[in-house]
Amino acid sequence: MSDDEKVEEKELDLSSPEVVTKYKLAAEIVNKALQLVLSECKPKAKIVDICEKGDSYIKEQTGSMYKNVKKKIERGVAFPTCLSVNHTVCHYSPLASDETVLEEGDILKIDMGCHIDGFIAVVGHTHVLQQGPVTGRAADAIAAANAAAEVALRLVKPGKKNQDVTEAIQKVAAAYDCKIVEGVLSHQLKQFVIDGNKVVLSVSNPETRVDDAEFEENEVYAIDIVTSTGDGKPKLLDEKQTTIYKRAVDKNYHLKLKASRFIFSEISQNFPIMPFSARALEEKRARLGLVECVNHELLQPYPVLHEKPGDFVAHIKFTVLLMPNGSDRITSHTLQELQPTKTVDDPEIKGWLSLPVKSKKKGGGKKKKGKGVEKSEGMEEASNGGA
């Protein structure tokens, strides 16, 4: 590929209808994959089996697309299926040998991603493994995440700044007596880039600073909201739990161990850009080889983080396209019925929730089937959390 072609590819954005189509195809697949994963979540089901099913579905569905095109189009898993339970915050996607199972009453956070030609759609969803409505503090955490997501959807739009969103989601969580979890970043998405330079901080504090940024038309964002009834400062308890990594393409180092060189070669060949699960590697060799790769920053780990036992943690993540006629949330799933203990009376939060997502000019007829229903349900849930 010539340098000109590379530049041209990098600049592809939502002004190209083909790019919009690829984002929406990836979103359709990941939404269905989430539905499949949820249907597999039953008491005594093994977490690793559920994660495998999510990844397999994405691989199968993307594998059947764009097969007969002249130029090979990369497609598949953009972020491995994670199933983080109760006070575990994120990135739990265990190895094949792990025997951990789900139990009745568990709070499940599902997180996954799909891409078509590098155009990425990610989704995160929280579900409590029980019949009937979710009540108490668990409902507060989920309602807070949902309301914060609905507010973020309305504030991530051209002309607004990343800091506006950070401040707003913290205010929403506080209304439910919850905290936004620190260290979670919402990133701009670009072709083959899952962690773009424009970032929305979940919590602004002196240790974590990001550049001020303004949202612009034709950009795409993965909005990532995690709430907790605890202090919102999750800890890494055991590095051995980390199984998701991404190759750091800008780093070089001559690995000393044969196992490390073998593993790194396999990663470079099969997972050159997107995050991957160590399940895809031979387990014994991987355990040995990954350590040296991480120590020398050839791989970026996605650590499994935990709040304190007894804390309720909820996660909602969605992909939004900043289209000329307004924001298009392309990944989501309807929540269970929630009966939170808190009500939201704050006029500023109610004002944010009443903002339109789409602009009035045309665009009404192009809604995807079922899309409007999901959005209004999300809004209703956000309001009901406070009505």
Side-chain angles (χ1 to χ4, degrees), residues 82-85 87-93 109 111 184 226 234 244 302-306 313 315:
C82 299
L83 186 45
S84 306
V85 177
H87 65 284
T88 302
V89 173
C90 56
H91 304 149
Y92 191 78
S93 189
K109 276 86 62 190
D111 185 9
V184 179
V226 184
I244 296 175
Y302 287 80
V304 178
L305 300 175
H306 304 268
V313 179
H315 184 197

Side-chain angles (χ1 to χ4, degrees), residues 238-256:
D238 181 4
E239 280 181 9
K240 289 194 185 76
Q241 283 189 324
T242 303
T243 59
I244 296 175
Y245 302 88
K246 182 168 82 77
R247 197 180 150 205
V249 287
D250 55 339
K251 301 282 183 186
N252 288 300
Y253 175 78
H254 184 67
L255 294 159
K256 305 288 187 283

Side-chain angles (χ1 to χ4, degrees), residues 9 61 88 151 206 215 224 252 299 328 331 365-366:
E9 279 206 345
Q61 295 298 309
T88 302
V151 166
F215 306 113
D224 205 349
N252 288 300
L299 296 177
D328 193 353
T331 59
K366 288 193 180 175

Side-chain angles (χ1 to χ4, degrees), residues 15 17 69 112 147 210 213 235 244-245 253 265 309 358 361 385:
S15 56
V69 290
M112 58 205 312
V210 296
K235 305 277 188 293
I244 296 175
Y245 302 88
Y253 175 78
S265 164
K358 296 271 187 191
K361 55 174 184 183

Side-chain angles (χ1 to χ4, degrees), residues 193-236:
V193 180
I194 200 165
D195 48 5
N197 291 337
K198 282 192 181 180
V199 173
V200 179
L201 264 182
S202 51
V203 178
S204 45
N205 59 35
E207 297 93 68
T208 327
R209 294 199 65 76
V210 296
D211 293 338
D212 289 342
E214 190 174 299
F215 306 113
E216 294 173 51
E217 198 172 284
N218 293 325
E219 290 180 337
V220 182
Y221 286 87
I223 302 302
D224 205 349
I225 311 273
V226 184
T227 51
S228 171
T229 58
D231 63 7
K233 298 177 188 223
K235 305 277 188 293
L236 169 63

